[in-house]
Amino acid sequence: MHNSAKILVALYEAKQVRRALEYLESKKIPLEQCHVVALEREVVLALTERGVVHTPVTAYVPANSNFESLYYKTQALAWSMFRHPAMQFYRFRGIALGEVQVPVVQFYLDKLIHAVYTAESVAESAGPFSSVLVPCSTVSVWLTSGPLTLEHINSFTTGFRLYANAKKIPFIELGEQKFAYLKKPFLERVQYIVLSAGLRINNFLVESLVRQKPLKLFVSDYWRHIEPFVSRMEDVELVVMDRREAAKIGLRRIWKYRMRFYHPKDFLTREARAEADRTMESFTAGWNNARADEAYRQLFAYKDISLWPVFEQSLTFLVTDFARRMVTDTISFEILYKTLAINRVLLRAGRGGQYHYAIAAQVATKVGIPSIELQHAGAVIDPRQVFSLLDASYLAAYGTLTREQYVSNHGYTPERIVPIGSPRFDRYLLQEKPSPAQREERLAAFGLTASRPVVLVSVPWETSGLSAQFVSSFEMDIFFRALKRVQQEVPEAQILFKFRANNSIETYRAYLRTLFPDGGMALASKEDFFSLVLLSDMVCSNDSTVVYETMIGKKPLILFPWKEYNFALTTYRQAGLYPASDTELVSIIRSLCQKGGAYQEAVTRGEQFLVKNYCFDGQAAKRLTQLLREQIKPLP
């Protein structure tokens, strides 16, 4: 049925419901003249509560749609927009700043193109429409938030507007896309001021009173990640970038490791600012030429819809405004390294949303200092991933498989990929399995019983909108209902959901209690994941380091939920059981609950995969200590 005379009202936040209804009432537009589409599950609930007739977006774009081609289109476009000849000016001291920004741009591009695709799908199925109404996001964004954060959260509004404008459909945008000038609580600001002053005093005293040590590490990582190997080294002193880590480290260890807390901006000089000013003038001139290049503008397209009106604004901000931070950090890192005589740089990550990792590594190479990235994820498996490039001289890799993948995917020399393992995983090999009495007590605290099998389920990261990378709110609903089916058909199974510590467990607490009214289900959030692995009988894991923790804990690994086109599945299916449907998930869990041959076979499968490909043997800290003490060269 077509709605030729209707207004398309698309909503993606619960708070937008009230805003849209008030607007329609003020314009005396009855709901009968509107076709309301809920783009998120929370909107479905809000509209249902108000009795508003609506259609979930999954009626037009199924939640489990295959977005593989769309996803890799965004990867390729993100690279091409900075590698185009028109953008060759966008470099500073040998660093291609655009390529460092690719992950941020690709993430936004992925969300934007999916929004345009969604608008197109709704219009083709339920249109034509007389006009399109989409409110702006109601979420407050810090002025100091990362680049394109405001654009990220408003991508649905922007995508629908692009589609409507391209099809000559009047577009109504409620509200305004703008930053909220949020202030941190007064006490928190006071604490930060006191901490900063205290650390400046600490830096002075440590530099004055504590004898220097031969190994001088600049570290951008969490203390909990580096403590396992730093604690083995009496010959190391640290310069830590994140001031917030000081409270976790403690004064005794700060002085023991001659630890100082500096950010590159602490070394920003008047001359550096002047150089940044000149550079930004050059970038502005170069960008004005690039934006006038017709061939360059034509890159920004999805089918017959130009994305240029949006990206011209976004790239103008990145190139002529935000780039100043990258330029000044590039200068400041070099001054910091030389002033403090740094001879090793240690990084938690590489390419990603935080640009400073890539810049810190490239500047280190330029001034002749070796840098080491500690592997913390598995994105390197897919060579098309924008996160899969290596800027550091060396990668302290999980194992030989990682080295093979880097060499095969990007042609890096094998010497740059050093099989180390993971120092933060070392403790797992020493952690004792709970006794039957301890297990019974700990499970009872969750409302579970030790007499029935426990399925530990790692809850995936949720994002707004349909995405090839992450799980949407509608996919979360499918995910939870699949596990409800497991409980119905395998009644002896108990489900323990583990949310991320920074994920909103409260969002789903009431929902899950309703979905599992008879119990047999529990929620965890801040608890240590590996400790939960040891309490459980099997683990359902999405694409995360949880797969390794499961195998180290010698529990059957169930690869759920995974998008079927996830490149990493090719690798991890050798280690775990992959259910291609809910029926297969039920069958796998039913079989494992019997604790028979299938259970032991699954455990053995994971153990063999781990031994063959990774160095998770409890000796990673020792190997990393040896690497840091070697006469390693700055590469490439």
Side-chain angles (χ1 to χ4, degrees), residues 274-339:
E275 183 177 1
D277 289 340
R278 294 191 298 272
T279 301
M280 295 311 296
E281 289 176 4
S282 173
F283 284 174
T284 299
W287 173 240
N288 287 335
N289 291 331
R291 70 204 300 187
D293 188 323
E294 180 62 28
Y296 182 65
R297 295 199 302 268
Q298 288 180 355
L299 288 176
F300 300 83
Y302 168 72
K303 295 185 178 179
D304 61 342
I305 299 173
S306 174
L307 307 178
W308 178 247
V310 171
F311 267 92
E312 180 180 19
Q313 180 179 352
S314 298
L315 290 176
T316 297
F317 166 71
L318 290 177
V319 175
T320 67
D321 188 330
F322 187 80
R324 178 181 292 274
R325 301 187 203 179
M326 304 175 73
V327 169
T328 55
D329 278 1
T330 300
I331 300 170
S332 300
F333 268 121
E334 184 169 341
I335 297 172
L336 183 155
Y337 293 157
K338 291 179 178 178
T339 302

Side-chain angles (χ1 to χ4, degrees), residues 452-466:
R452 293 165 53 194
V454 176
V455 183
L456 177 59
V457 178
S458 176
V459 178
W461 184 269
E462 180 183 343
T463 188
S464 62
L466 302 175

Side-chain angles (χ1 to χ4, degrees), residues 8-9 39 125 128 134 180 522 527 531:
L8 170 60
V9 179
L39 300 173
S125 299
V134 186
E527 294 82 357
S531 296

